[in-house]
Amino acid sequence: MVFGSVADRFGRRAIFTLSLLWYTAASLAMGIQHSNVGVDLWRFIAGLGIGVELVTIDAYISELAPKRLRGRAFAINQSVQFLAIPFVAAVSWILVLGLLWGWMDGAGLFSWGPSAQSRSG
């Protein structure tokens, strides 16, 4: 509810872009953490960013898509969102088999060593 009024004030495109940058930065920070607390903190922060994005995209689509294509645009958006979950789970499973936790956190290029999960268990 808070970010709805923020999006109304600053524009949906700006808030959508900011939320994607927020999520990306938090994912990168999560990938270089060396403690469970650090990973949990940055995962929470990333969750806030993706939460804002998920709410904002629906309003943004309703503004951008022409009336005759709006239903199709929402269907594609929802399909991508829901199909991403099993896809990410499968990729994560493959990465876990290779013990590449830094990649799973989304920041493997910046992860210089094993992340907290690989050392904790």
Side-chain angles (χ1 to χ4, degrees):
M1 294 177 66
V2 172
F3 287 102
S5 61
V6 173
D8 288 341
R9 183 166 185 201
F10 297 105
R12 284 164 186 58
R13 178 183 283 182
I15 298 302
F16 179 72
T17 303
L18 178 66
S19 69
L20 287 178
L21 292 173
W22 179 338
Y23 175 73
T24 301
S27 295
L28 292 172
M30 184 175 26
I32 60 172
Q33 295 304 304
H34 295 287
S35 72
N36 291 338
V37 173
V39 171
D40 290 343
L41 173 68
W42 286 103
R43 186 167 286 158
F44 176 77
I45 294 169
L48 293 175
I50 200 69
V52 172
E53 185 271 332
L54 290 174
V55 172
T56 308
I57 189 65
D58 290 335
Y60 194 42
I61 288 173
S62 69
E63 289 179 358
L64 287 179
K67 282 187 178 186
R68 69 183 200 292
L69 299 176
R70 199 168 291 154
R72 188 176 301 158
F74 277 112
I76 291 169
N77 175 55
Q78 293 298 310
S79 296
V80 168
Q81 286 180 1
F82 288 110
L83 291 174
I85 294 168
F87 176 77
V88 169
V91 170
S92 296
W93 180 72
I94 291 167
L95 293 174
V96 167
L97 290 178
L99 299 176
L100 301 171
W101 287 98
W103 283 100
M104 207 172 92
D105 291 336
L109 292 175
F110 301 98
S111 182
W112 298 316
S115 72
Q117 288 99 344
S118 63
R119 284 196 292 250
S120 66

